[in-house]
């Protein structure tokens, strides 16, 4: 079983869940085909009967029989479609759920290495193509095979020589389908390649449109696009040439079997070896076979696209989550929120230079540590390593005396209240957003008190629907400061042992910041807090302040100590005073 | 992408369709030929059951084997003709479709090139890309399996009807009895399917929104350990999609068999009514068989209808999005009668210029200043002071909200746009490199810049040595966004690019990111060479730049607050002095050895 060659095999267990329904569905295929087979047979009786002398009432009952057969066939066909296509939708549902569950487990570095659109298109477009295999693909295949087997049995029984003759063109059909299939596949891939070249070019042009315009290069861009566009058309045309032959050829080959039947069958009727009724029935069977035979081409197409798409989905599903529970992970006995970092050196996989070099820190339970530094100094990286958004090297980051890598991911993260640098809110109500981290439904009062801590409660009251106001496109547009304050409420509502603020007050003015910090003071009193900021005003009251520069600790101490030292911190302090003065001019 | 899925288009919109068909205009000969092929092809294939009738009545029942051979030969002829005509038709239609797609893609791309910067601020790259690629491809289906196959169906239906009436008008009328039933079933289906299609589209849109949010917000979900809760929510959204689809499956599963029952009713009518006539000798057996075969062909096109309906819906939605884009008029265009073709001297004058990206939030307020030809100006200010906006207005990336910008005494809005932009060289902070060779990135597709000019430009700004070290030198490929070059190298390359264009005016947004001392000296010297003999405005981040400037403009909160030379402004002890402490003073020791 080679998964990379036959990615569709992955679907077997998914289908297995619905084997009962699939069984009934296949049975329905069989019944549909059998019922369909009866119709030409009824015609045989009609034609043969008309040559002898049947009476009108007999004729009427034949007519009724024909309607009855189609009713029965229709009944089975209805269930066949409902069950088989229904199952494909069920599997699509299951697969999409699993896809999301897997994506949820992926590390940030994985998610950031791919565009959101790319991941989404796998969960929608590609999954859609796979669904086509599971539904129409499987249904048409089963239908065609059953039809071929049964009608062959009937026809051979009727007249084997004639059958052989009529089937020669049909055999040609399947051979050419195989021949064409391969080539169509190749040309299709060439088209896809060019399509992505065209997309890339467009993407680059739009992303760099300012440069294009600044240098007045619009026309040369259009020229370059035109060339790729032409090549794309050329490749499409080469596929069209194949299709152009394929479908008419199929129709022609099927037509040829009709001629074969007309010529040899007609002779046999004249020679009295075949009744005219049988001759007409034969024609009926051939026309029953025509459509499914042509459908083979389509089914092949469905399978090819489906298997390419499945491969793309597997690229995600088979990437193991980079950050997960290690074996033997368990919570340490004593909680309290002690945080320790020992000789931490960390580099991102994409960069040769370490983001943090030899950082050691220790925060006793209930104390506040502040980290200041310029953009790119490694502050956020440090904050991200504690809840294991990125995995630190073993033996470097400890919470409550245990290496964070030895913690169960879920309980580690539940201990931590985190306010990220860039606020992300869901398009949901304000209440839901604040209570996001809670397992059970949060009480109105809890949400409100969390909102008070970050001083966003007043803002919320001013919205007409209060806590039930929707955030985002369908609701209010919040200011950057309001968003940050909501994110703070979201972090404190779960009463975590450790609070991490990753530059979380950058969008509020110093006046509001002061008020928030005062409120937070009560919450921070008995919690370990890590305060990351580039603003001195935020950090000056911390128990200890650490200054990071290019991933290294260059100074540490209290606000007063650091000012007296007159180093990097003092310099930053004076600059920010200047900035404040500037903004007040 | 997601938000537009909410808009659920109609399956058929005459206005959109007319406009789409307009694109066929240039290829109307192909379209006409395709229709001829189609009509002849259908006619040839309609003849086939009639040949069967002849075979039964004229040969088989009379025992005439010779006649049978003739009929079989005719049949083969019809097959060959149908093959040839079908092939011709498929090729003509698809080639036409491809040409229309090509034209449309080019038109959209061309239109995008004309739209102004503000438009690109509003529309994310991904959405615009979809217009050029996916949406256009969706339209292809309309041409290949939509529009013309409808013709095909209509023609086949009428052709068969005509044949039936010619064969036996009484029996033909009998078949027509089932037609009202057919129409009723189809109409009902159409209504039901439209509703469930709408439900499906809405569900898809919700799935997209959810995925989008949960992928971009993955960090929040993970940190708060809410994977399970979000998973539960997703299954609910996903379930709605499933249910909507199951409903739609129900209608499809019902419709197709119903059609067959209606078809069987027609056959039953033929058997009963026609059979009676055969018995009474007023109808031949062959005609009866031909009728049965015709009725089979009669219903086939109708069952295809359900599929075409879906195609039609998605193409209408795509074309609406495309046309909406094409109908967005470019806000910044060349004047019809440009007052000036090119910048001659390079004198710049800002007269009382104001600007706001969003109404009510002014970025620049009443800025006025003049730059003499050849003068070197440095612009300084805190983040958000409006420095970048100043240069974006100069080359009409945006048009001023109030006041005017004049170059050589002519309003920039009266210049021919391309000429204006060619006269103003711009070096942006974030250097954008296109995938292509180094040479391509210097010339940017400008044929009037020779390879020699490009190399000379690179030599002048010290880019030549590192380019020579690249594998392939000037033909070395640069990856997506030029990932293989260092920040300093990219800067030098962008200098070469600007120099190769030899502009009268040079506008430069100095990069803030630090480079090593050696590169810093190279960049500084390259900058001096680049600016020599040109009017220049530099958004300064280097101390050397402000020191060497003829004049410094200090922007603060969108206003021009101070002007003067470095020394003058320092003595004033105003905003510049504070900015100097903040931004430039630290560079002082390193600069002591500077030029």
């Amino acid at each position: 079983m080679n998964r990379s060659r036959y990615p569709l095999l992955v679907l077997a267990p998914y289908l297995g869940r619905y084997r009962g329904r699939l069984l009934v569905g296949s049975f329905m295929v069989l019944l549909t085909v059998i019922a369909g087979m009866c119709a030409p047979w009824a015609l045989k009786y009609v034609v043969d009967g008309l040559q002898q002398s049947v009476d009108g009432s007999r004729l009427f009952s034949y007519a009724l029989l024909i309607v009855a057969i189609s009713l029965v066939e229709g009944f089975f066909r209805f269930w066949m479609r409902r069950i088989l296509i229904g199952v494909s939708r069920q599997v699509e549902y299951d697969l999409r759920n699993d896809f999301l569950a897997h994506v949820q487990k992926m590390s940030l570095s994985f998610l950031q290495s791919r565009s959101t659109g790319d991941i989404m298109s796998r969960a929608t477009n590609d999954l859609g193509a796979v669904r086509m295999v599971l539904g129409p693909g499987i249904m048409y295949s089963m239908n065609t095979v059953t039809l071929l087997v049964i009608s062959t049995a009937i026809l051979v029984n009727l007249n084997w020589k004639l059958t052989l003759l009529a089937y020669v063109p049909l055999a040609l059909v399947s051979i050419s389908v195989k021949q064409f299939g391969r080539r169509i596949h190749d040309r299709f891939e060439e088209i896809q390649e060019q399509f992505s070249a065209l997309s890339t070019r467009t993407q680059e042009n739009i992303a760099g449109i300012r440069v294009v315009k600044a240098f007045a290069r619009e026309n040369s861009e259009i020229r370059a696009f035109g060339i790729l566009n032409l090549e794309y058309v050329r490749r499409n045309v080469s596929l069209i040439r194949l299709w152009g032959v394929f479908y008419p050829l199929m129709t022609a080959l099927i037509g040829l079997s009709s001629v074969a039947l007309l010529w040899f069958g007609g002779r046999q009727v004249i020679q009295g070896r075949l009744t005219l009724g049988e001759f007409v029935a034969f024609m009926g069977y051939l026309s029953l076979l025509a459509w499914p035979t042509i459908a083979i081409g389509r089914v092949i197409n469905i399978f090819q696209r489906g298997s390419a798409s499945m491969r793309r989905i597997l690229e995600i599903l088979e990437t193991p989550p980079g950050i997960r529970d290690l074996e033997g992970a368990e919570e340490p006995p004593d909680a309290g929120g002690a945080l320790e970092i020992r000789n931490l050196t960390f580099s991102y996989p994409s960069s040769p230079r370490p983001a943090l070099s030899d950082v050691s820190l220790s925060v006793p339970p209930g104390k506040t540590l502040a980290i200041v530094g310029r953009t790119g100094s490694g502050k956020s990286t440090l904050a991200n390593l504690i809840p294991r958004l990125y995995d630190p090297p073993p033996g470097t980051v400890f919470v409550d005396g245990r290496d964070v890598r030895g913690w169960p991911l879920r309980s580690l993260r539940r201990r931590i209240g985190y306010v990220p640098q860039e606020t992300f809110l869901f398009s949901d109500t304000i209440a839901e957003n604040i209570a996001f981290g809670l397992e059970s439904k949060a009480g109105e009062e809890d949400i409100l008190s969390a909102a008070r801590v970050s001083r966003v409660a007043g803002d919320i009251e001013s919205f007409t629907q209060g806590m039930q106001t929707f955030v985002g496109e369908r609701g209010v547009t919040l200011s950057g400061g309001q968003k940050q304050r909501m994110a703070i409420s979201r972090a404190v509502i779960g009463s975590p042992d450790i609070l991490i603020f990753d530059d979380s007050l950058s969008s509020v003015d110093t006046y509001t910041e002061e008020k928030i910090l005062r409120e937070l003071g009560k919450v921070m009193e008995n919690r370990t807090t890590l305060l990351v900021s580039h603003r001195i005003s935020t950090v000056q009251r911390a128990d200890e302040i650490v200054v990071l520069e290019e991933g290294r600790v260059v100074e540490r101490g209290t606000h007063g100590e650091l000012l007296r030292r007159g180093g990097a911190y003092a310099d930053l302090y004076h600059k920010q005073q200047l900035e404040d003065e500037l903004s007040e001019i | 992408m997601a938000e537009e899925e909410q808009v659920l288009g109609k399956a058929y919109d005459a206005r959109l369709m007319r406009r789409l068909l307009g694109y066929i205009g240039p290829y109307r000969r192909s379209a006409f030929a395709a229709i001829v092929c189609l009509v002849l092809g259908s006619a040839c294939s309609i003849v086939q059951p009639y040949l069967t009738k002849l075979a039964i009545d004229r040969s088989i029942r009379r025992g005439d084997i010779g006649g049978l051979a003739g009929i079989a030969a005719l049949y083969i002829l019809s097959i060959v003709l149908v093959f040839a005509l079908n092939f011709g038709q498929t090729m003509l239609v698809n080639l036409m479709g491809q040409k229309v797609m090509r034209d449309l893609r080019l038109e959209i791309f061309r239109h995008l090139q004309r739209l102004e910067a503000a438009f690109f601020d509003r529309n994310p790259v991904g959405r615009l890309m979809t217009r050029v690629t996916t949406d256009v491809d969706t339209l292809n289906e309309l041409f290949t399996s939509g529009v013309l196959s409808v013709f095909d169906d209509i023609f086949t239906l009428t052709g068969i009807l005509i044949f039936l009436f010619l064969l036996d008008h009484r029996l033909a009328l009998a078949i027509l009895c089932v037609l009202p039933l057919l129409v009723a079933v189809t109409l009902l289906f159409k209504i039901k399917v439209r509703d469930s299609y709408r439900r499906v589209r809405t569900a898809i849109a919700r799935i997209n929104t959810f995925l989008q949010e949960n992928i971009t917000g993955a960090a929040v979900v993970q940190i708060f350990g809410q994977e399970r809760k979000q998973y539960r929510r997703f299954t609910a959204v996903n379930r709605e999609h499933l249910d909507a689809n199951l409903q739609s499956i129900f209608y499809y599963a019902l419709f197709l068999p119903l059609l067959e029952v209606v078809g069987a009713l027609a056959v039953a009518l033929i058997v009963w009514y026609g059979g009676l006539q055969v018995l009474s000798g007023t109808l031949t057996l062959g005609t009866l068989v031909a009728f049965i075969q015709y009725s089979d062909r009669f219903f086939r096109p109708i069952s295809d209808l359900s599929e075409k309906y879906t195609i039609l819906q998605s193409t209408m939605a795509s074309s609406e999005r495309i046309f909406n884009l094409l109908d967005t008029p470019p806000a910044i265009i060349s004047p019809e009668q440009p007052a000036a073709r090119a910048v001659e001297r390079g004198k710049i004058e800002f007269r009382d210029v104001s600007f706001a990206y969003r109404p009510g939030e002014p970025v620049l307020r009443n800025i006025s200043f003049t730059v003499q030809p050849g003068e070197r100006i440095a612009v300084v200010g805190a983040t958000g002071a409006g420095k970048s906006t100043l240069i974006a207005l100069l080359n009409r990336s945006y048009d001023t909200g109030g006041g005017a910008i004049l170059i050589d005494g002519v309003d920039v809005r009266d210049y021919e746009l391309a000429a204006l932009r060619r006269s103003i060289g711009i070096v942006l902070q974030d250097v954008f490199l296109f995938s292509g060779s180094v040479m391509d990135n210097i010339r940017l597709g400008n044929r009037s810049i020779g390879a020699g000019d490009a190399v000379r430009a690179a030599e002048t700004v010290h880019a030549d040595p590192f380019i020579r070290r690249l594998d392939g030198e000037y033909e070395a490929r640069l990856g997506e966004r030029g990932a293989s070059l260092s920040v300093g190298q990219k800067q030098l390359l962008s200098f070469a690019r600007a120099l190769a264009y030899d502009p009268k005016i040079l506008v430069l947004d100095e990069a803030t990111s630090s480079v090593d001392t050696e590169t810093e000296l190279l960049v500084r010297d390259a900058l001096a060479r680049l600016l020599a003999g040109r009017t220049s405005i530099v958004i300064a981040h280097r101390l050397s730049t402000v020191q060497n400037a003829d004049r410094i403009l200090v922007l603060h909160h969108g206003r021009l607050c101070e002007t003067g030379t470095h020394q003058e402004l320092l003595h004033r002890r105003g905003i510049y002095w504070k900015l100097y402490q903040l931004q430039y003073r630290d560079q002082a020791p390193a600069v002591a050895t500077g030029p």
Side-chain angles (χ1 to χ4, degrees), chain A residues 101 234 269 290 472 527:
Chain A
R234 195 193 64 75
V269 174
R527 293 180 216 292

Side-chain angles (χ1 to χ4, degrees), chain A residues 27-258:
Chain A
F27 196 57
M28 287 298 154
V29 172
L30 187 70
L31 291 177
T32 308
V33 168
I34 290 175
M37 289 287 143
C38 295
W41 203 247
L43 279 182
K44 170 188 131 54
Y45 283 111
V46 172
V47 174
D48 282 344
L50 283 174
Q51 281 176 300
Q52 291 117 35
S53 45
V54 289
D55 54 5
S57 71
R58 190 67 188 261
L59 218 48
F60 188 70
S61 58
Y62 282 146
L64 280 184
L65 184 66
I66 288 170
V67 176
I69 289 173
S70 88
L71 277 173
V72 172
E73 193 209 338
F75 175 79
F76 291 140
R77 189 179 291 278
F78 169 76
W79 283 107
M80 170 184 94
R81 282 194 87 94
R82 250 198 116 171
I83 294 171
L84 289 182
I85 308 284
V87 165
S88 77
R89 289 290 178 190
Q90 291 281 359
V91 173
E92 179 193 26
Y93 167 82
D94 296 343
L95 205 54
R96 190 175 278 134
N97 284 342
D98 288 0
F99 187 86
L100 179 88
H102 189 77
V103 167
Q104 283 185 328
K105 280 190 242 147
M106 299 313 287
S107 64
L108 283 192
S109 44
F110 175 84
L111 293 176
Q112 279 161 1
S113 68
R114 286 156 189 278
S115 74
T116 307
D118 176 65
I119 300 174
M120 277 175 64
S121 86
R122 286 167 210 245
T124 50
N125 295 346
D126 284 321
L127 193 51
V130 171
R131 208 281 308 175
M132 284 298 284
V133 171
L134 295 165
I138 289 182
M139 190 179 75
Y140 287 141
S141 317
M142 289 214 284
N143 200 30
T144 305
V145 170
T146 318
L147 196 67
L148 269 174
V149 169
I150 294 180
S151 59
T152 309
I154 294 176
L155 291 181
V156 167
N157 218 356
L158 210 60
N159 188 312
W160 68 269
K161 277 190 204 154
L162 208 52
T163 309
L164 212 60
L165 211 62
Y167 269 35
V168 168
L170 286 186
L172 286 177
V173 169
S174 64
I175 291 171
S176 45
V177 161
K178 209 174 161 217
Q179 284 295 320
F180 274 101
R182 183 76 239 150
R183 289 210 220 156
I184 284 172
H185 177 77
D186 291 348
R187 296 199 184 173
F188 189 71
E189 295 217 319
E190 283 170 28
I191 290 176
Q192 285 307 101
E193 216 172 88
Q194 187 63 20
F195 182 78
S196 79
L198 198 68
S199 301
T200 311
R201 179 84 209 184
T202 312
Q203 197 260 339
E204 214 173 74
N205 170 273
I206 300 173
I209 193 85
R210 275 152 232 274
V211 178
V212 171
K213 287 185 167 290
F215 285 85
R217 294 328 305 154
E218 290 93 336
N219 287 332
S220 75
E221 281 296 296
I222 292 170
R223 252 199 324 273
F225 178 83
I227 292 168
L228 290 176
N229 193 13
L230 267 187
E231 175 62 17
Y232 182 58
V233 169
R234 195 193 64 75
R235 293 191 183 186
N236 266 301
V237 168
S238 93
L239 178 68
I240 288 166
R241 233 170 251 142
L242 273 182
W243 276 127
V245 178
F246 184 72
Y247 271 115
L249 187 67
M250 295 301 107
T251 324
L253 287 175
I254 285 159
L256 280 184
S257 42
S258 302

Side-chain angles (χ1 to χ4, degrees), chain A residues 93 97 104 106 204-205 210 213 217 223 229 232 410 413 426-427 432 436-437 575 581-582, chain B residues 105 113 115 121 137 213 222 225-227 229 233 238 421 435 444 447 501 556 578 586:
Chain A
Y93 167 82
N97 284 342
Q104 283 185 328
M106 299 313 287
E204 214 173 74
N205 170 273
R210 275 152 232 274
K213 287 185 167 290
R217 294 328 305 154
R223 252 199 324 273
N229 193 13
Y232 182 58
R410 214 173 141 68
R413 288 176 177 168
F426 292 89
S427 36
E432 283 287 343
F436 182 75
K575 277 192 178 168
E581 283 170 32
L582 259 179
Chain B
R105 266 194 298 269
Q113 305 306 303
L115 287 166
D121 294 341
D137 269 23
E213 263 190 36
Q222 291 185 356
Q226 292 308 307
E227 289 92 342
K229 182 156 111 190
R233 290 186 169 183
N238 203 5
R421 289 179 175 162
S435 50
L444 287 179
R447 288 172 186 167
Y501 273 74
H556 194 64
K578 289 202 165 89
D586 293 349

